[in-house]
Amino acid sequence: MRKNHQTKSLSQAQPANAQNGSHQITQEKVLQNLREILSYIGDDPSREGLLETPLRIVRSWEKLFGGYKMRPQDVLKTFTEGSCEEMVVLKDIEFYSTCEHHLQPFFGTISIGYLPKGRVLGISKLARLVEVYARRLQIQEKLVAQIADSLMETLQPYGVMVVCKAKHLCISSRGIEKHNAVMVTSAIRGAFKKMEVRNEFLDMIK
């Protein structure tokens, strides 16, 4: 599991993989590191426009990396009442994440489908589950797999399928600079491995 350095100001409840004790990184240390980074890229961290930039960055991490403070089991409340045996789909869930390779944003939409087996989720819970995993350092391939596996474990449905379409700033703002490239990934579990089930889902999210 990736080790994650959390500052005391970002959360009172540290995630399971945060360092603790004598290895805890303080906010002031993080701010000083950010000032050094600003200097490294060629700017002056003491100029007026950058004086509060390190603190703004730290505060922005509350949202950008808030997924480390959330657990899927805390957002996935299930219901037996109203359960059905037909496919349930929520498509085009907007998400924003950060690529763990270059710390560049990637963003787009995620569509989720599942075949219930006695239990269903409130519709907003699917969107909240996306936030749990998207608001972390991520790669797109792992993002869809984590969402699918969490649903399989919690709901125990007949099957799950997750499709993600995203643009990555690491290939549009640097490197090969391909601005219109869209990456598509999927995770397929259970009954969705059957062609007819998978095709029904893909028709529904067109």
Side-chain angles (χ1 to χ4, degrees), residues 144-159:
V144 292
Q146 289 175 326
I147 293 170
D149 290 339
S150 289
L151 288 171
M152 288 295 292
E153 179 180 352
T154 303
L155 269 181
Q156 299 182 352
Y158 291 109

Side-chain angles (χ1 to χ4, degrees), residues 7-173:
T7 66
K8 291 181 179 178
S9 66
L10 297 185
S11 172
Q12 295 300 316
Q14 295 295 319
N17 58 345
Q19 294 197 13
N20 51 43
S22 61
H23 299 289
Q24 181 70 47
I25 297 180
T26 64
Q27 176 176 292
E28 184 50 45
K29 179 63 175 177
V30 172
L31 295 176
Q32 180 57 35
N33 288 342
L34 289 169
R35 294 184 194 104
E36 292 175 358
I37 291 171
L38 292 173
S39 180
Y40 175 79
I41 64 176
D43 216 316
D44 177 9
S46 65
R47 69 179 177 85
E48 182 181 12
L50 292 181
L51 278 177
E52 296 185 16
T53 295
L55 185 58
R56 293 189 190 101
I57 293 173
V58 169
R59 287 173 176 169
S60 76
W61 290 345
E62 283 280 353
K63 182 67 175 180
L64 295 178
F65 305 121
Y68 288 113
K69 296 181 291 184
M70 297 187 288
R71 301 183 305 167
Q73 56 266 40
D74 293 335
V75 302
L76 292 179
K77 182 179 180 181
T78 64
F79 303 90
T80 56
E81 184 177 356
S83 179
C84 63
E85 296 183 355
E86 304 299 327
M87 189 180 299
V88 177
V89 176
L90 184 62
K91 71 174 188 176
D92 297 334
I93 306 165
E94 294 182 354
F95 79 93
Y96 300 86
S97 192
T98 304
C99 174
E100 65 184 40
H101 295 154
H102 299 100
L103 292 185
Q104 291 286 320
F106 70 97
F107 55 92
T109 62
I110 290 176
S111 296
I112 303 172
Y114 69 93
L115 282 171
K117 186 166 62 176
R119 290 188 292 177
V120 292
L121 286 168
I123 188 170
S124 67
K125 306 309 179 184
L126 292 174
R128 291 186 184 279
L129 180 63
V130 169
E131 286 289 288
V132 170
Y133 290 115
R135 296 297 186 174
R136 305 180 181 192
L137 294 177
Q138 271 291 7
I139 60 173
Q140 187 174 331
E141 298 91 334
K142 184 171 65 177
L143 176 58
V144 292
Q146 289 175 326
I147 293 170
D149 290 339
S150 289
L151 288 171
M152 288 295 292
E153 179 180 352
T154 303
L155 269 181
Q156 299 182 352
Y158 291 109
V160 170
M161 186 166 176
V162 182
V163 172
C164 176
K165 301 177 181 180
K167 287 191 173 185
H168 293 247
L169 288 192
C170 59
I171 66 169
S172 62
S173 65

